[in-house]
Amino acid sequence: MDYGMIGKIEKAKRYAQERKRITFNNLDAQFRGDHNNYQMLLNAEGWNCTCPGYQAHGICPHVMAMERLLRPMLKREPLPYAVGQNVVSDVEKAKRYSEETDRIQFASFDVTFDGENSAHHTSYHDGAWDCDCSFFHSRHVCSHTMAMERILGSMITAAAPVAANGR
Ligand SMILES: [Zn+2]
Ligand SMILES: [Zn+2]
């Protein structure tokens, strides 16, 4: 029995419930809107979305949906409503979009994990994981990557752990 792995799976379950531990530093995601696909970015400077609404107002239902979905993990104030924005319609859309998670595909993201012992950096890029914890170093999977898989589900492309026990 792989007790080390069993412990990490238990920890991942717990972490997925304790989302305040997680902070999104950046993300790059595709968003399938009602009419078009858009690219959403988050980095230290803030959000960006390629949709016309965002380009005009600096806020849009796609970003608002992400703010709902990732709520305790963003650690930043929601974008303020803008003059000229159709707030009623955008709030309604954001609510609906945040329940239709098949619209969202993450291409990459980087999170900081406030773990039980120390902070860790976990990232995902085009199906590949990375984490700076020692368990990941030897096993290519860890409680942090597994917690993110639980949280984001089908919003990330399931990546098979690379040679978890083959060496
Ligand atoms: Zn948008
Ligand atoms: Zn890790």
Side-chain angles (χ1 to χ4, degrees):
M1 272 241 251
D2 189 342
Y3 291 109
M5 187 61 85
I6 290 167
K8 296 299 174 191
I9 292 169
E10 286 307 312
K11 212 175 203 183
K13 279 186 196 166
R14 194 148 31 83
Y15 281 168
Q17 304 293 321
E18 299 170 0
R19 299 185 185 189
K20 281 198 178 121
R21 293 180 179 280
I22 300 161
T23 302
F24 268 82
N25 302 310
N26 61 56
L27 67 83
D28 177 346
Q30 287 292 319
F31 201 108
R32 183 166 51 78
D34 288 333
H35 308 292
N36 276 303
N37 293 329
Y38 302 112
Q39 186 187 18
M40 302 179 48
L41 295 172
L42 173 70
N43 60 29
E45 276 101 73
W47 289 100
N48 194 31
C49 180
T50 55
C51 77
Y54 190 92
Q55 298 308 314
H57 300 121
I59 183 169
C60 66
H62 315 112
V63 168
M64 290 161 66
M66 290 298 259
E67 286 176 336
R68 295 179 77 92
L69 263 173
L70 305 178
R71 193 135 40 192
M73 302 181 281
L74 288 172
K75 312 287 192 296
R76 56 175 62 232
E77 290 297 312
L79 288 178
Y81 297 137
V83 177
Q85 181 192 10
N86 189 337
V87 174
V88 174
S89 151
D90 283 0
V91 167
E92 184 274 324
K93 264 190 203 168
K95 214 176 267 181
R96 179 163 55 85
Y97 285 166
S98 68
E99 285 155 12
E100 298 168 358
T101 53
D102 59 319
R103 292 177 177 277
I104 300 162
Q105 265 310 308
F106 281 87
S108 65
F109 61 78
D110 180 292
V111 297
T112 303
F113 239 99
D114 186 10
E116 277 161 354
N117 307 310
S118 51
H120 290 292
H121 234 76
T122 309
S123 64
Y124 173 87
H125 191 84
D126 287 338
W129 290 99
D130 195 17
C131 186
D132 62 8
C133 74
S134 57
F135 196 85
F136 185 89
H137 199 72
S138 59
R139 309 294 291 271
H140 306 285
V141 61
C142 63
S143 54
H144 313 110
T145 65
M146 289 189 286
M148 292 312 293
E149 279 178 333
R150 282 179 168 270
I151 291 168
L152 297 177
S154 62
M155 291 185 277
I156 49 177
T157 310
V162 182
N165 38 25
R167 13 177 178 145

